[in-house]
């Protein structure tokens, strides 16, 4: 662990510039300024999500610091930012309301341990099964969620119930205050858009925040500030063992929440990892990210934090600001801690409009605008999945959306392959009828496979050639058994060719005539051997 820590810290310090030079001061400055920009954007997010979960703002800020620091050092993708998120907060709120904050800390510890187990078992690799349409729906839905979360800043504080996506049914600010807020947001967005066309001395989002803050303070404009949300002043996060009974009843309370939180946290983190990887051109790191997220949440639970996961909005701010190494994430966490310890009075003067402007630019940069064009070019099922995942992400949560998208994509793929099975037939000079099966034989196509044959009208010898097919699972073997039984009942002989050795062994147990050829394919069959042996043997 110590060796890994030193290696990652060395990687953070030895920043590589875009031109390839190690330790380039200009790139190091960019990394530090990117971290400062992210830290400023983290403050209102962490405070808001703490309110969502029903806990003190410092609980959210401590989580943002600890989770952000540990994942920046050990995570699977340099440049990613983690912290307290709304997706987790909306799950926590009922636990806190019913059992109190101590049970939340215990849940976060267990959540982290579950994520560590997932990392050790390397289950993160299954994220590669997420289809591209699901990824498009994910980024679009998340962009909309980030946009909706900012609307609470345009509403009168305390006028509505806070949800994971922002204020629900709140009262808007008075027209004059609302107009001023919108104007300042527009100024911030304009600076972020124009500055990169002039210079890259400082990250555009940081410049936007600085200029807007200077306008507000210099002109004495009356607009909501960070300090209007809550005070962010505090001390170092104290070590704290969750004060809950160590009983089976406690485990029964926290385990369901911990499993849900671990799943949501890992899904959001791994999808963000893939998204950042597409921008930075890096691959891999899924298992490492699972371990880092798990370690971060386990530690956070013992230091009074609400837990967290990767934050796509802040990750996009960091990457778009030039952050490419671990230094940017580490500096963001340390800047946030500095805000809490010594700079709270200054940070509380930052206008919320500036931070909202930054997040609106993140929304514009995150939304996959090209997906609107390809909706009418891709297959109908893929277009449906994009829209479905986007809608479910907005209406429910990310984890549900991804699961729904993967299930729908898998069902669509299975149906498409189920309709592809067919057979070409011909008769040999000896009078045998040959069925050359084409297409995959699996649970979806098993019924169609059985319907290809006509035992009553076929000659006494029938040959089924699987050279153009592949037997995939137990349902496929059962379908072959069914066809064999029909020919046996009709007093005819069925010969099976070009099956894998796995199929040879399994079907011989049922007494089928399977011929072996030198060009037989090599592949396994996904079956439960114990169950299938009984089924096959029982058929004859």
């Amino acid at each position: 662990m110590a060796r890994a820590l030193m290696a990652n810290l060395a990687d953070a310090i030895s920043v590589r510039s875009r031109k390839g030079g190690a330790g380039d001061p200009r790139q190091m400055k960019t990394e530090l300024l990117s971290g400062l920009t992210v830290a400023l954007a983290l403050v209102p997010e962490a405070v808001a999500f703490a309110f969502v979960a029903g806990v003190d703002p410092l609980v959210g800020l401590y989580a943002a610091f600890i989770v952000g620091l540990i994942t920046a050092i050990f995570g699977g993708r340099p440049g990613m930012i983690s912290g307290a998120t709304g997706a987790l907060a909306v799950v926590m709120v009922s636990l806190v309301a019913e059992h109190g904050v101590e049970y939340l800390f215990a849940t976060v510890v267990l959540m982290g341990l579950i994520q560590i187990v997932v990392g050790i078992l390397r289950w993160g690799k299954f994220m590669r099964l997420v289809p591209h349409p699901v990824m498009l729906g994910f980024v679009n839905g998340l962009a909309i969620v980030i946009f909706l979360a900012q609307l609470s800043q345009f509403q009168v504080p305390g006028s509505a119930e806070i949800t994971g996506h922002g204020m629900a049914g709140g009262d808007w600010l008075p027209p004059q205050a609302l107009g001023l807020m919108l104007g300042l947001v527009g100024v911030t967005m304009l600076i972020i858009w124009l500055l990169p066309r002039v210079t890259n001395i400082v990250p555009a989002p940081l410049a936007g925040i600085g200029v807007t803050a200077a306008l507000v303070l210099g002109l004495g404009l009356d607009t909501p500030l960070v300090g209007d949300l809550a005070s962010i002043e505090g001390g170092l996060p104290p070590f704290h063992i969750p004060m809950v009974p160590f009983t089976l009843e406690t485990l029964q309370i926290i385990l369901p929440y911990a499993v849900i939180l671990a799943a949501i946290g890992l899904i959001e983190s791994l999808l963000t990892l893939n998204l950042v990887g597409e921008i930075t051109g890096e691959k891999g790191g899924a298992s490492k990210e699972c371990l880092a997220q798990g370690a971060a949440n386990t530690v956070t639970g013992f230091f009074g934090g609400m837990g967290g996961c990767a934050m796509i909005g802040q990750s996009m701010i960091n990457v778009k600001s030039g952050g490419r190494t671990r230094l940017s994430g580490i500096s963001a966490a340390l800047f946030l801690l500095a805000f809490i310890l010594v700079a709270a009075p200054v940070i509380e003067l930052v206008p919320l409009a500036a931070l909202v402007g930054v997040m609106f630019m993140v929304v514009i940069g995150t939304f996959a605008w090209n997906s609107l064009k390809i909706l009418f070019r891709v297959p109908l099922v893929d277009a449906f999945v994009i829209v479905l995942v986007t809608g479910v992400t907005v209406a429910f949560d990310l984890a549900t959306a991804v699961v729904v998208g993967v299930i729908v994509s898998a069902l669509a793929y299975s149906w498409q392959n189920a309709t592809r099975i067919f057979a070409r037939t011909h008769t040999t000079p000896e009078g045998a009828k040959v069925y050359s099966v084409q297409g995959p034989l699996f649970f979806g196509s098993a019924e169609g496979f059985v319907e290809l044959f006509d035992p009553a009208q076929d000659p006494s010898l029938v040959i089924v050639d699987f050279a153009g097919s592949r037997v995939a699972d137990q349902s496929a073997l059962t379908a072959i058994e069914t066809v064999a039984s029909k020919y046996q009942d009709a007093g005819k002989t069925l010969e099976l060719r070009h099956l894998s050795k796995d199929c040879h062994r399994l079907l011989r147990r049922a007494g089928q005539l399977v011929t072996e050829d030198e060009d037989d394919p090599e592949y396994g069959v996904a079956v439960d051997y114990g169950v299938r042996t009984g089924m096959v043997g029982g058929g004859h």
Side-chain angles (χ1 to χ4, degrees):
M1 177 69 77
R3 184 178 297 177
L5 174 61
M6 294 304 296
N8 287 337
L9 286 176
D11 175 63
I13 296 172
S14 299
V15 182
R16 292 186 178 182
S17 72
R18 293 176 182 175
K19 296 182 180 180
D24 186 344
R26 292 174 298 176
Q27 182 65 15
M28 185 172 290
K29 182 196 70 173
T30 299
E31 299 287 336
L32 292 173
L33 292 178
S34 296
L36 177 59
T37 306
V38 170
L40 289 170
L42 275 172
V43 172
E45 297 273 311
V47 171
F49 295 145
F51 286 153
V52 171
V55 297
D56 187 89
L58 280 176
V59 174
L61 291 168
Y62 286 155
F65 161 63
I66 298 173
V67 174
L69 180 63
I70 294 177
T71 55
I73 296 174
F74 297 106
R77 180 79 74 244
M80 273 181 59
I81 303 297
S82 297
T85 66
L88 299 181
V90 294
V91 178
M92 298 172 178
V93 61
S94 59
L95 173 65
V96 174
E98 187 173 351
H99 299 285
V101 71
E102 295 294 333
Y103 278 83
L104 171 61
F105 298 150
T107 301
V108 171
V109 172
L110 182 57
M111 163 193 173
L113 295 175
I114 293 173
Q115 292 175 327
I116 291 174
V117 172
V118 172
I120 293 174
L121 296 177
R122 305 182 71 85
W123 286 352
K125 62 187 178 183
F126 291 111
M127 289 307 296
R128 69 185 64 174
L129 298 178
V130 177
H132 189 62
V134 175
M135 281 293 296
L136 288 176
F138 153 70
V139 296
N140 290 349
L142 215 49
I144 295 173
V145 168
I146 294 172
F147 172 78
L148 294 176
Q150 307 312 308
L151 298 184
S152 62
Q153 311 302 341
F154 296 94
Q155 295 172 322
V156 177
S159 65
E161 178 183 357
I162 304 177
T163 68
H165 296 163
M167 290 282 188
D171 298 327
W172 297 104
L173 293 171
Q176 185 175 355
L178 182 60
L180 177 59
M181 183 88 167
L182 290 171
L184 293 173
V185 169
V187 169
T188 305
M189 295 176 68
L190 185 63
I191 293 171
I192 296 174
W193 180 68
L194 286 175
L195 188 63
R197 291 161 171 77
V198 179
T199 180
N200 289 318
I201 294 179
V202 295
L206 182 60
I209 293 172
V211 171
T212 304
L215 283 175
V216 170
L217 297 177
L219 300 178
L221 302 177
D222 184 15
T223 189
L225 308 176
V226 170
D228 295 332
L229 290 177
S231 174
I232 66 169
E233 188 173 1
L236 289 170
F239 179 77
H240 172 75
I241 297 177
M243 302 296 292
V244 298
F246 290 90
T247 62
L248 183 60
E249 181 181 359
T250 299
L251 182 62
Q252 291 174 338
I253 293 172
I254 67 175
L255 181 59
Y257 288 100
V259 171
I260 294 172
L261 290 171
I264 294 175
L266 288 182
I267 290 174
E268 185 160 354
S269 297
L270 294 177
L271 288 178
T272 303
L273 179 118
N274 290 342
L275 187 63
V276 173
E278 290 180 3
I279 297 174
T280 61
E282 298 180 9
K283 298 180 180 180
S287 297
K288 192 174 182 180
E289 185 65 28
C290 292
L291 291 171
Q293 292 289 337
N297 283 307
T298 301
V299 173
T300 301
F302 285 114
F303 282 88
M306 61 184 284
C309 64
M311 307 179 74
I312 186 172
Q314 277 64 29
S315 297
M316 289 299 100
I317 291 175
N318 187 45
V319 172
K320 296 293 177 64
S321 298
R324 290 293 186 274
T325 72
R326 298 185 186 278
L327 181 59
S328 57
I330 294 172
S331 62
L334 295 179
F335 276 128
L336 183 60
L337 179 62
F339 296 166
I340 297 171
L341 297 179
V342 297
V346 175
I347 301 304
E348 289 173 3
L349 295 177
V350 173
L352 291 176
L355 302 177
V356 172
V358 172
M359 297 309 296
F360 277 176
M361 292 302 289
V362 169
V363 169
I364 295 173
T366 300
F367 194 91
W369 298 100
N370 65 315
S371 65
L372 300 179
K373 296 180 180 178
I374 67 173
L375 278 178
F376 303 101
R377 301 176 185 174
V378 299
L380 182 61
V381 171
D382 289 343
F384 174 74
V385 169
I386 294 173
V387 176
L388 176 66
V389 173
T390 300
V392 175
T393 300
V394 175
F396 298 97
D397 59 72
L398 170 64
T400 302
V402 172
V403 171
V404 169
V406 170
I407 290 175
V408 171
S409 297
L411 291 175
Y413 175 80
S414 298
W415 175 253
Q416 290 168 359
N417 280 275
T419 59
R420 290 177 182 172
I421 194 161
F422 65 97
R424 298 188 178 99
T425 62
H426 67 275
T427 303
T428 66
E430 294 78 15
K433 185 174 183 179
V434 179
Y435 286 85
S436 297
V437 181
Q438 306 294 316
L441 179 53
F442 67 112
F443 67 90
S445 60
E447 183 177 350
F449 170 78
V450 174
E451 295 174 353
L452 296 175
F453 302 92
D454 187 5
Q457 301 300 323
D458 284 345
S460 59
L461 176 60
V462 174
I463 300 172
V464 183
D465 190 344
F466 288 91
S469 181
R470 177 165 179 163
V471 179
D473 56 16
Q474 183 172 317
S475 297
L477 291 171
T478 303
I480 296 174
E481 287 291 315
T482 300
V483 172
S485 298
K486 290 184 178 182
Y487 280 101
Q488 186 179 48
D489 294 341
K492 299 175 181 179
T493 302
L494 182 69
E495 185 176 309
L496 307 175
R497 291 182 178 176
H498 292 113
L499 287 169
S500 70
K501 292 181 179 179
D502 201 9
C503 293
H504 289 182
R505 183 175 66 257
L506 301 174
L507 291 171
R508 275 212 184 93
R509 295 177 184 176
Q512 300 307 324
L513 179 58
V514 183
T515 61
E516 293 191 19
D517 298 296
E518 292 183 358
D519 57 346
D520 281 346
E522 292 285 347
Y523 58 81
V525 181
V527 294
D528 181 337
Y529 280 79
V531 174
R532 192 222 353 28
T533 299
M535 290 181 62
V536 173
H540 297 273

